[in-house]
Amino acid sequence: MSEFGYRDDRLFAEGVALADVARAVGTPCYVYSSAAILARYQAFAAAFAGRPHRVCYAVKANGNLAVLNLLAGAGAGFDIVSAGELERVLAAGGRADRCVFAGVGKRADEIDRALRAGVRCFNVESAAELERIESIAAELGVRAPIAIRVNPDVDANTHPYIATGLRENKFGVPIESAPALYARAAASGHLDVRGVACHIGSQLTGLEPFRDAFGRVAALVAALRAGGIGIEHVDVGGGVGVRYKDESPPAIGAYAEVVRNAFADETLEIVVEPGRALVAEAGVLLTRVEYLKDGAERGFAIVDAAMNDLLRPALYDAWHDIVPLQRRHAGTRGRWDVVGPVCESGDFIGRERELVLVPGDVLAVCTAGAYGFAMSSSYNARPRPPEVMIRGESWHVVRPRERLEALYAGESVLPQI
Ligand code: LLP
């Protein structure tokens, strides 16, 4: 995307040479462009302009406080899936009354916290959850705002681990059972029916599954309204894909058109929960080549980032472009498996990549702003990498590299006997 590009063979993000960041904070390191994030947010906001709407950023994609604060400042709400994400939003200056609380397994303490904080809506995923929310709201003497997340049973054509809208998935309530549940909720003194929610999967690259799902949800909304149940908003979930390799995901405007057409009634507010589409292309992971090694079958470029820093290749066999911070014109182009130091053969960042490399080179793993740091761990006792945010010509460490002592802080040995 345009915020990242080469100038005289050096890779820049906005006005900053990424090699300068790598030199100052070391590698591995995540770098985000604030301009890229804001541009994507504005694209969503513009696409729904003139229609009541709220863009609720899916915190799970990248929950760094700087990211949340930037989006809160631009007017975003948030899609949260845990009390931890709620605390992040509040710590970043976001508003609880702009949070929708999703997730199949909300614990009682999380529901209690979210009700006290005054979240905008619970996206309820089962009859049992509805009952739990009702009883906690009754204890607190309040009415809990709810939407029911329906499962429209459509094939999202995405990786099976991130498809959620099929009957076989654990998410939501079968759409045909929703009316009975709504009737039950509408009759409760401690539940306040606000909307209908759905989310059919992530990294969708075609519009057809959205069109299918939204058609079914629109029919449900119409039936509920006709039955006197006051539906104020429809939450269409996230899922708009990005280009990692050669995909051609829909433009945000085209996606919004599908939503607007499906829900033509202008009195219905649209809530949309993009995660990846806002932040994936706004981030890179910088990593240094430690060793080049000739294997029997192929060459290995052993880098200092690993599956603990970026899990997507190991978990989903996901592709991320890998490019040098400094383009080289001389040297031999090799075919490298770019791998990390973790003791697993699944620990790779990219396979069979054509690159001109020498040890010490720093590489950028692209499109890593979503589900990158957020899914990182300290496996192999590797401290999690720092995160840096760029704003124009300046850059800021928005999370330092984890200290080694932090890896075992809070642990203890058994008492002496
Ligand atoms: N809303 C709900 C209810 C969700 O479950 C998700 C993502 C989103 C919104 C945001 O979806 P997005 O706009 O980012 O596609 N770790 C995986 C992605 C998991 C997505 C889970 N749910 C990956 O790295 O591809």
Side-chain angles (χ1 to χ4, degrees):
M1 104 176 285
S2 58
E3 287 78 6
F4 291 84
Y6 286 95
R7 292 189 205 165
D8 296 331
D9 291 330
R10 296 194 306 152
L11 187 61
F12 274 68
E14 302 185 40
V16 174
L18 289 173
D20 292 344
V21 177
R23 200 171 307 114
V25 302
T27 52
C29 167
Y30 277 97
V31 183
Y32 312 127
S33 155
S34 59
I37 297 172
L38 285 176
R40 285 314 183 102
Y41 173 80
Q42 298 303 351
F44 268 92
F48 288 104
R51 170 102 203 221
H53 74 276
R54 179 71 59 196
V55 179
C56 289
Y57 167 64
V59 173
K60 64 172 82 67
N62 184 331
N64 185 285
L65 292 201
V67 173
L68 302 182
N69 175 262
L70 201 64
L71 288 168
F78 298 93
D79 157 33
I80 56 170
V81 292
S82 66
E85 287 192 350
L86 174 58
E87 295 310 325
R88 277 192 172 276
V89 167
L90 297 177
R95 288 168 47 167
D97 64 358
R98 289 187 180 168
C99 285
V100 292
F101 191 174
V104 287
K106 301 176 192 76
R107 291 193 318 260
D109 62 293
E110 293 180 305
I111 294 167
D112 182 273
R113 173 72 185 110
L115 274 174
R116 287 176 198 269
V119 296
R120 171 180 171 159
C121 194
F122 290 87
N123 289 347
V124 179
E125 302 226 13
S126 63
E129 182 193 332
L130 192 71
E131 270 169 35
R132 181 180 279 184
I133 293 174
E134 183 183 33
S135 78
I136 297 170
E139 272 167 39
L140 295 178
V142 297
R143 275 168 82 104
I146 63 114
I148 290 172
R149 174 173 173 183
V150 296
N151 184 330
D153 194 27
V154 298
D155 187 350
N157 293 322
T158 186
H159 190 287
Y161 288 8
I162 55 178
T164 54
L166 279 174
R167 191 179 289 279
E168 69 203 46
N169 300 127
K170 69 181 174 186
F171 299 98
V173 169
I175 194 160
E176 60 282 3
S177 336
L181 216 50
Y182 272 105
R184 150 101 181 68
S188 164
H190 290 288
L191 297 172
D192 186 8
V193 174
R194 296 281 177 83
V196 177
C198 78
H199 169 78
I200 57 172
S202 195
Q203 182 56 12
L204 271 66
T205 52
L207 289 171
E208 224 27 60
F210 287 122
R211 216 173 265 128
D212 267 14
F214 299 159
R216 292 176 202 193
V217 173
L220 173 66
V221 171
L224 292 172
R225 281 183 153 185
I229 294 178
I231 300 295
E232 295 160 13
H233 76 254
V234 62
D235 180 337
V236 295
V240 177
V242 300
R243 189 168 198 274
Y244 286 102
K245 189 181 185 188
D246 49 14
E247 305 90 335
S248 33
I252 291 167
Y255 162 77
E257 228 12 71
V258 169
V259 177
R260 293 172 81 128
N261 289 339
F263 303 101
D265 180 346
E266 304 261 326
T267 64
L268 196 61
E269 182 184 2
I270 288 167
V271 174
V272 57
E273 304 174 344
R276 189 187 323 262
L278 294 187
V279 293
E281 290 161 311
V284 293
L285 171 63
L286 305 185
T287 183
R288 185 178 301 274
V289 177
E290 294 285 347
Y291 301 102
L292 296 177
K293 174 171 165 175
D294 281 330
E297 296 281 324
R298 55 183 80 176
F300 294 103
I302 301 169
V303 298
D304 63 3
M307 64 190 287
N308 72 295
D309 304 299
L310 180 65
L311 183 60
R312 302 192 72 258
L315 187 58
Y316 312 116
D317 206 12
W319 175 283
H320 288 261
D321 280 340
I322 302 175
V323 300
L325 293 203
Q326 174 77 50
R327 269 189 192 146
R328 247 174 238 293
H329 297 288
T332 13
R333 187 164 281 274
R335 221 174 228 275
W336 304 101
D337 275 9
V338 179
V339 301
V342 161
C343 308
E344 302 215 20
S345 295
D347 177 31
F348 67 95
I349 303 290
R351 284 183 164 142
E352 298 193 37
R353 302 306 176 91
E354 291 213 358
L355 290 161
V356 181
L357 294 180
V358 297
D361 280 354
V362 182
L363 305 173
V365 184
C366 301
T367 330
Y371 308 108
F373 186 90
M375 293 174 78
S376 67
S377 74
S378 57
Y379 184 42
N380 274 209
R382 291 169 47 83
R384 284 189 290 176
E387 295 174 281
V388 167
M389 176 87 83
I390 289 177
R391 180 167 55 192
E393 310 285 313
S394 66
W395 57 272
H396 306 269
V397 176
V398 292
R399 178 176 166 121
R401 188 178 307 285
E402 202 166 19
R403 290 175 310 107
L404 284 178
E405 308 80 69
L407 294 177
Y408 47 85
E411 294 179 24
S412 56
V413 298
L414 282 175
Q416 293 296 327
I417 39 175

